[in-house]
Amino acid sequence: RAAPGEANIVALHSLARTMPRLAARALALIASAQAFYLPGVAPRDYMDSDKVEIRVHKLSSPRTHLPFDYYSLPFCRPDNLVKQAENLGEVLHGAVIQNSPYEVFMGRSEFRIACRVELTKAQKITLSQRVRQDYRVHLIMDNLPAATKMIAEMADGTKKDMYDRGFRLGFLGSKDIPGTEPTKPYVNNHLRFIVKYHRSDTFPGSRIVGFEVEAYSVKHTYEGQWDEKSPKLTSVPLRPDLAPMLAWSNEIVYTYDVVWEHSPIAWASRWDLYLYMGDDQVHWFSILNSLVIVLLLSGIVAMIMVRTLRRDLAEYNSVEEKEELLEESGWKLVHADVLRPPPLAAWLATTIGTGMQVLCMSFISIACAMLGFLSPANRGSMLTVSLLLFALMGVAAGYCAALAYKAFKGAQWKSLTLLTAFLFPGIVLGVMFVLNFFIWGQHSSGAVPFGTMFAVLCIWFLISFPLVWVGVWLGYRGTLKDPPVKTNMVPRVIPSQAWYLHPLFTMLIGGILPFGAVFIELYFIMSSIWLQRFYY
């Protein structure tokens, strides 16, 4: 038998002999492993003359916030309309992704005539109204949204290219635009697709890294009668002296041309310009200022309460021998009533639980976005994940609500479960259902279909409600810490207070400053989220 030291030496020698073989196997596994990409962000290589598909997305406006189907206006249509499958978030955003009549081929720069459309009176009215409402057209190429290029001047004097999603449907005439009549709507009927591609020795073909659109309004003219097979336009090539296309016209000729530009931007960085979009409504300084005001007000209130409590405790400790002679005041006056259960304990516990549910959903969604799982290339993923996380966080809502309700010595846990599961989500879905009728009345694509509403109800009843019940069950099984003070059996009589100490007035005064600080910027942020404009 070998001694213990010799055994250790033998073991080390055997480990040294096996390590090279283990390392070689590990390297072989790494070499044979295939790389993976997050959903919706896998690159696609195009060879020369390969067809690059352009899809239509929707029409959106920063004024009305009502999206519309692209083909709700008199645009050119393909022979067969094919609708792309959409996730829950895209449907709620009002996206209707379909194929388009635009034919684009890799590396081929050319001018094409899309079609000629004769407008009815109703189509003229609708088209003019959409132009006046500042609607923008959204297209998609290789999962990249169409963008309008802008040159912004930075604080240091340098200029930077920025993208604004989509392009304008049209414009209103003014004295500054030659050939136009003031306040008359004009439609952009010629599109110039500027497609940027990147080539490298590491992959075959080309990858699309940019999709810019320049929209022009041109009143096309042609010889004789219109021939669908071989129309003869006399307004080509385009010239600056051509008159713009009035939206209130009997016919509109749609044309487009394609320009290919090589770009040094790698495929992995093609979203950078979209994330740095120029938007004058993005007020970073105001947002930070609002946050600082809210935190400052909260800190001031907390500091006042802590100082008052410490002063009261110091006074009580210094005059303990004269406690009988002193009149009760401050903390000693209210300490036996501060932990008394409120009259609507179940409602308060429900509010606490729903607040924790929203808080957990927000933190997890932000964490997933920071890790790259919610890429902007995967449209609608943020809203889809947020809804699913809200349903899954029903456990947290039920658990926190049950703990609070147990601390209030509540016994009606069934009512608590129903309130936590249905109160606030029911209010939100009820308002959404009512507003959906008005959106349907406007014939907007933002109206949620009945199938999607049924899917949301299934998520609510089959996932969220059972998880809330599980959370309440776990919360009631949990143990609570002993309260720091005892509560009197008989509540102290509260004397009549002045009008400015009424709860409604104090709530109004205490909440109006934080609300005023964050309301404007919160409106801009929510509008950007709804219109899919990114903050980065």
Side-chain angles (χ1 to χ4, degrees):
R1 295 180 60 183
E6 295 176 355
N8 293 336
I9 295 175
V10 173
L12 290 174
H13 277 291
S14 62
L15 181 62
R17 289 196 301 268
T18 57
M19 282 298 292
R21 286 181 290 176
L22 293 175
R25 291 177 182 176
L27 290 175
L29 289 175
I30 293 174
S32 61
Q34 298 293 327
F36 72 94
Y37 296 92
L38 296 175
V41 293
R44 179 177 177 182
D45 302 328
Y46 292 91
M47 309 305 282
D48 289 341
S49 299
D50 283 353
K51 186 176 181 179
V52 181
E53 187 174 8
I54 295 180
R55 295 180 179 271
V56 298
H57 191 190
K58 63 179 179 180
L59 305 172
S60 67
S61 171
R63 295 185 181 180
T64 64
H65 298 280
L66 283 177
F68 284 94
D69 183 8
Y70 176 85
Y71 291 115
S72 63
L73 294 181
F75 290 135
C76 301
R77 291 171 173 260
D79 296 333
N80 296 319
L81 279 177
V82 179
K83 187 176 179 180
Q84 180 178 319
E86 300 165 350
N87 56 38
L88 180 61
E90 287 179 305
V91 175
L92 295 178
H93 273 300
V96 183
I97 303 176
Q98 304 169 93
N99 59 332
S100 71
Y102 302 113
E103 296 183 354
V104 178
F105 299 92
M106 185 68 201
R108 190 183 301 177
S109 299
E110 54 187 349
F111 176 90
R112 282 178 173 267
I113 301 174
C115 69
R116 169 180 167 270
V117 178
E118 295 183 356
L119 277 66
T120 62
K121 184 178 181 180
Q123 290 176 333
K124 295 177 184 178
I125 295 174
T126 304
L127 183 59
S128 301
Q129 184 181 12
R130 297 290 181 265
V131 172
R132 293 183 183 277
Q133 292 172 342
D134 195 19
Y135 268 84
R136 301 182 69 85
V137 183
H138 298 274
L139 306 178
I140 299 173
M141 173 188 286
D142 191 45
N143 212 29
L144 273 180
T148 301
K149 183 179 179 180
M150 301 181 300
I151 300 177
E153 187 172 354
M154 309 305 290
D156 56 356
T158 60
K159 294 184 178 181
K160 182 178 179 61
D161 295 340
M162 292 185 177
Y163 279 173
D164 193 10
R165 292 191 65 174
F167 57 91
R168 297 181 65 184
L169 173 64
F171 59 93
L172 296 179
S174 65
K175 297 180 179 179
D176 299 331
I177 304 176
T180 63
E181 299 181 18
T183 69
K184 293 287 185 179
Y186 295 86
V187 62
N188 293 322
N189 60 326
H190 177 78
L191 303 179
R192 175 165 295 166
F193 300 137
I194 302 177
V195 187
K196 297 185 177 182
Y197 63 94
H198 179 72
R199 288 182 178 176
S200 176
D201 298 335
T202 57
F203 56 86
S206 305
R207 293 179 179 177
I208 295 176
V209 296
F211 180 32
E212 301 175 6
V213 177
E214 295 179 358
Y216 301 95
S217 182
V218 179
K219 186 176 181 180
H220 285 294
T221 56
Y222 51 89
E223 295 180 357
Q225 299 293 327
W226 178 262
D227 187 0
E228 292 289 345
K229 296 182 179 179
S230 58
K232 299 180 180 179
L233 295 180
T234 58
S235 54
V236 178
L238 303 181
R239 303 180 304 274
D241 59 339
L242 293 175
M245 189 71 222
L246 192 64
W248 197 270
S249 301
N250 295 327
E251 64 176 14
I252 299 178
V253 178
Y254 291 96
T255 58
Y256 65 97
D257 65 286
V258 186
V259 178
W260 296 87
E261 294 182 0
H262 182 268
S263 174
I265 299 176
W267 185 89
S269 304
R270 65 177 188 168
W271 278 92
D272 289 354
L273 287 177
Y274 291 91
L275 299 177
Y276 284 100
M277 285 187 302
D279 188 354
D280 54 359
Q281 291 183 345
V282 180
H283 308 138
W284 283 109
F285 179 77
S286 299
I287 294 174
L288 295 177
N289 185 44
S290 302
L291 293 176
V292 169
I293 290 176
V294 172
L295 294 177
L296 183 61
L297 292 176
S298 303
I300 291 174
V301 173
M303 184 177 62
I304 292 174
M305 295 180 65
V306 170
R307 291 187 61 184
T308 303
L309 184 59
R310 287 181 176 178
R311 186 179 65 249
D312 291 343
L313 293 177
E315 291 178 359
Y316 301 149
N317 293 332
S318 62
V319 292
E320 291 180 353
E321 65 279 6
K322 300 181 182 179
E323 184 177 358
E324 299 82 9
L325 302 178
L326 293 176
E327 182 181 357
E328 292 185 351
S329 62
W331 169 252
K332 192 174 182 180
L333 181 65
V334 299
H335 78 281
D337 292 283
V338 292
L339 296 183
R340 186 177 305 280
L344 299 176
W347 291 72
L348 179 58
T350 300
T351 305
I352 295 173
T354 306
M356 290 301 299
Q357 186 178 10
V358 174
L359 188 64
C360 294
M361 176 204 70
S362 303
F363 276 121
I364 297 177
S365 300
I366 293 174
C368 292
M370 292 173 62
L371 294 175
F373 292 105
L374 302 180
S375 170
N378 192 8
R379 292 174 301 275
S381 60
M382 188 69 178
L383 185 55
T384 303
V385 170
S386 298
L387 289 176
L388 294 178
L389 284 176
F390 183 82
L392 295 176
M393 289 301 106
V395 177
Y399 183 79
C400 296
L403 284 181
Y405 193 58
K406 188 176 181 180
F408 298 150
K409 297 179 176 57
Q412 299 177 355
W413 63 272
K414 294 181 180 179
S415 300
L416 175 69
T417 304
L418 295 177
L419 281 175
T420 306
F422 296 110
L423 180 60
F424 289 102
I427 293 174
V428 173
L429 285 180
V431 173
M432 174 183 172
F433 187 74
V434 173
L435 292 178
N436 207 41
F437 283 107
F438 293 97
I439 300 176
W440 265 324
Q442 296 294 327
H443 304 287
S444 171
S445 62
V448 181
F450 278 111
T452 306
M453 293 288 289
F454 181 75
V456 173
L457 290 177
C458 289
I459 294 174
W460 186 17
F461 282 96
L462 301 180
I463 298 178
S464 180
F465 175 65
L467 291 178
V468 169
W469 184 88
V470 171
V472 172
W473 181 75
L474 293 175
Y476 262 96
R477 288 173 59 91
T479 58
L480 295 175
K481 294 183 179 180
D482 295 332
V485 293
K486 294 182 179 181
T487 303
N488 290 337
M489 297 296 295
V490 179
R492 181 182 292 272
V493 178
I494 301 176
S496 59
Q497 303 292 324
W499 63 270
Y500 53 84
L501 294 179
H502 193 274
L504 293 178
F505 185 78
T506 54
M507 285 190 295
L508 178 63
I509 297 301
I512 193 170
L513 289 178
F515 177 77
V518 303
F519 171 72
I520 300 300
E521 296 306 326
L522 185 62
Y523 167 77
F524 289 141
I525 293 174
M526 298 306 294
S527 300
S528 298
I529 293 175
W530 181 251
L531 295 176
Q532 299 183 15
R533 296 181 177 180
F534 304 105
Y535 279 73
Y536 190 65

